[in-house]
Amino acid sequence: MMRARLGVSAALALALAMVMALALSGPTHGAAAEEPGASGQAACLRELVVLGTGQDAGAPQIGHANDAGEPLLPTSLALVDREAGARYLFDATPAITRQLAALDSLEPPAQGLGIDGIFLTHAHIGHYFGLAWLGTEAAGARGVPVFAMPRMAGFLRANGPWSQLVDNGNITLVEMAEGAFTVLTDDFGVLPIRVPHRDEFSETVGFVIMTPDLRALYLPDIDSWETFEAQSPTSLQQLVAGVDYAFIDATFWDDGELGERDMSAVPHPRAKAVMERLSSLPDAERAKVRFIHMNHTNPLRDPASAQSRAVDAAGFAVARRGMRVCLSS
C-alpha cells in the first residue's frame, strides 16, 4: 500500500535535488549498465522494468489480424522497490493482466496483486483502461493508490465505470500537482511534468522517477517538442541532461506512415526528427534516450529493421519489452 511521506526537511531536500538536476547544474551519471535478465540484477534495490512499448492499441492492432510483425503490448513501466518491498506501475494498459504476470515472474508480489501504486499519464485508452481490471468483475482490489493529476482524477470520479472503482474502494485516488513531488519513501520520489497533448478528458504529464542514485524520465505521449519548448523554460535537451534514462514518445518514425490518413490529426514527434534534434549531444547524452510508445506502423517495432539499426548507429536506443534498468543498487 501507499508508503508514508517524508518529513518536511527531507522532502524539501529531495525536491531541491531534482530542481537542481533539471536546472542543469551538471551532467548526470549517464545511461549505466543495463541488460535484460543480466546477472546481478537481483542485487538492484530499485529497478525499472519495461512492460510494454506499443501505442495504446498495441500490435497487431484491431483490424490487422494478419500483421505478422513484432507484437507490441501498450506502453507501461514498472518500478520494483526491493528495499521497501513495493511495486509501482506507470500507466495501466488494457494488457495489464499479461504485464502484471510478467512482473510477477520477475519479482513475485508479497501478497495479493502486489500493486503499491499506479501513476497515470493521461486519459487515452492505453494509459488508464487497465484500471477496469481492478474492479469487482476481475481482481476486486482494495484501495490501490492511483496517482493522477487533478483533471485525470476528476474524470475518474465523474465517469463510469471508473467512478465505481472509486465508490467501491477498489482504488484510492491520490491527486498530484504540477511541479510538486509525490514522495513515497526516503529513497523514491516522482515529479509530474505537464506536456502538450490532445487533452480531451485530462491533462497529460510525463514523470521524472527519482532515487538517490539515478533518475529516469517516462514521457510516452506529447504533441511536439517545439510546442513543449514554446510553453516551458525547459528544452528536450535539458530534460535529457537532467536524467539518466529518458523513455520518450516515438509513436511514429516519420511522415507518411499512415498512408492516406492525415497525420496532423494525431500529432506526435517523429523519432527520426528527434534524433536529428539531439544529434549534436555527446555520446553519453544520446545513450540515455529510449524510444517508446511505437505505433503498429512504426518500423522501429522490428529490432532488425533498417530504422532500428539507424537508431543504434546514432547512439540512441529503442525500448523493448523486458528491458530492465537499475536506478539504485
Side-chain angles (χ1 to χ4, degrees):
M1 301 303 294
M2 185 168 52
R3 299 307 195 222
R5 296 293 196 270
L6 278 174
V8 173
S9 61
L12 287 175
L14 183 61
L16 179 60
M18 175 58 76
V19 169
M20 290 177 66
L22 292 179
L24 304 183
S25 59
T28 59
H29 305 77
E34 53 146 306
E35 288 295 338
S39 61
Q41 288 284 1
C44 180
L45 292 182
R46 293 167 200 89
E47 184 177 38
L48 276 182
V49 182
V50 178
L51 300 178
T53 64
Q55 180 266 358
D56 301 44
Q61 271 201 25
I62 185 171
H64 297 269
N66 295 326
D67 182 348
E70 188 76 15
L72 295 175
L73 298 184
T75 289
S76 177
L77 300 183
L79 189 287
V80 177
D81 184 348
R82 294 188 174 94
E83 185 172 60
R87 310 187 312 173
Y88 300 88
L89 298 181
F90 290 84
D91 282 331
T93 85
I96 191 171
T97 298
R98 186 172 174 185
Q99 291 172 325
L100 196 58
L103 182 60
D104 289 349
S105 68
L106 169 68
E107 187 71 21
Q111 60 180 1
L113 287 177
I115 302 176
D116 293 87
I118 300 174
F119 290 83
L120 300 180
T121 56
H122 64 301
H124 285 163
I125 65 168
H127 302 267
Y128 79 102
F129 260 35
L131 294 179
W133 276 258
L134 301 180
T136 302
E137 302 89 339
R142 301 303 304 168
V144 174
V146 173
F147 298 88
M149 298 295 285
R151 276 191 69 203
M152 181 79 234
F155 173 78
L156 295 174
R157 289 191 189 97
N159 294 278
W162 325 109
S163 56
Q164 189 175 54
L165 299 175
V166 178
D167 294 341
N168 290 346
N170 303 121
I171 64 175
T172 299
L173 293 176
V174 182
E175 287 198 20
M176 308 181 79
E178 183 177 357
F181 270 92
T182 293
V183 182
L184 301 175
T185 74
D186 285 349
D187 297 312
F188 173 34
V190 177
L191 176 72
I193 297 177
R194 184 79 178 268
V195 298
H197 193 44
R198 293 172 289 115
D199 293 342
E200 303 94 338
F201 301 118
S202 77
E203 59 277 271
T204 301
V205 295
F207 294 115
V208 177
I209 305 161
M210 181 178 178
T211 74
D213 299 324
L214 301 176
R215 300 176 289 274
L217 171 67
Y218 173 63
L219 206 164
D221 274 282
I222 187 171
D223 282 349
S224 77
W225 289 110
E226 291 81 4
T227 303
F228 172 78
E229 291 172 357
Q231 299 174 355
S232 167
T234 307
S235 68
L236 171 58
Q237 288 87 337
Q238 289 171 323
L239 281 178
V240 172
V243 299
D244 300 279
Y245 299 97
F247 293 87
I248 60 174
D249 186 343
T251 304
F252 302 116
W253 167 252
D254 203 0
D255 293 331
E257 203 168 298
L258 298 182
E260 297 299 318
R261 186 175 177 184
D262 179 10
M263 291 184 67
S264 67
V266 280
H268 288 276
R270 310 298 187 251
K272 182 179 179 182
V274 171
M275 288 171 54
E276 293 170 355
R277 173 182 283 258
L278 300 179
S279 62
S280 63
L281 292 181
D283 292 350
E285 293 296 289
R286 282 181 277 122
K288 297 175 180 181
V289 174
R290 305 287 184 275
F291 289 118
I292 203 166
H293 197 267
M294 293 168 281
N295 195 52
H296 70 111
T297 58
N298 192 331
L300 293 182
R301 65 184 276 206
D302 178 6
S305 70
Q307 292 83 358
S308 290
R309 293 195 301 271
V311 169
D312 292 339
F316 302 95
V318 179
R320 305 292 180 191
R321 179 156 44 102
M323 177 182 286
R324 297 158 61 180
V325 298
C326 188
L327 295 183
S328 185
S329 58

